[in-house]
Amino acid sequence: MRRLVWVSGAFLVLQVLATSYRQSAGTASWETLWLAIIAVMLWMTYRRQSRVAWAFVVFFAVCGALLYGTGTPTHLDDPRYPVAAVAYLGQAWPLLTGTVRRHVRDRPRR
């Protein structure tokens, strides 16, 4: 379980590095914010604190894979697009395994 969340986190870092956030040059605020938000969501998933956090990460990872995987004709020559698509898929895949889904679903009762 822990390895799967770490794999998802590693692909998150790759995804943030490969994604173009269309901001002014020299600022990394959007990348940092996105990395922090999703890292917290992964932590919450690992700690069984939120099914919503798990769903949020999976939803945005699948949407990102679709958006960057299909791309637009003007961006097909940009090597970041396929890398970002693979990174998004790599982020979602571990979270969709039965191990993680059971882990999130079967939270201990308090």
Side-chain angles (χ1 to χ4, degrees):
M1 169 59 209
R2 182 181 305 175
R3 282 189 215 129
L4 290 170
V5 173
W6 275 105
V7 167
S8 184
F11 276 105
L12 167 65
V13 172
L14 178 62
Q15 173 259 307
V16 168
L17 293 173
T19 302
S20 173
Y21 288 94
R22 307 267 187 241
Q23 67 213 13
S24 59
T27 61
S29 60
W30 290 112
E31 287 96 344
T32 305
L33 178 63
W34 187 251
L35 181 64
I37 289 170
I38 300 299
V40 167
M41 298 286 180
L42 285 173
W43 177 252
M44 291 172 72
T45 298
Y46 174 71
R47 300 289 297 172
R48 295 182 184 175
Q49 292 176 337
S50 176
R51 293 179 198 167
V52 174
W54 171 85
F56 181 87
V57 175
V58 169
F59 175 77
F60 280 102
V62 170
C63 287
L66 289 172
L67 290 172
Y68 278 87
T70 57
T72 61
T74 58
H75 293 104
L76 290 178
D77 59 342
D78 189 349
R80 290 180 301 172
Y81 271 68
V83 171
V86 169
Y88 274 112
L89 283 176
Q91 185 180 345
W93 168 76
L95 299 178
L96 291 171
T97 61
T99 304
V100 175
R101 285 184 297 134
R102 278 188 302 277
H103 176 78
V104 172
R105 183 189 65 217
D106 300 337
R107 289 191 310 186
R109 294 184 185 194
R110 294 177 189 198

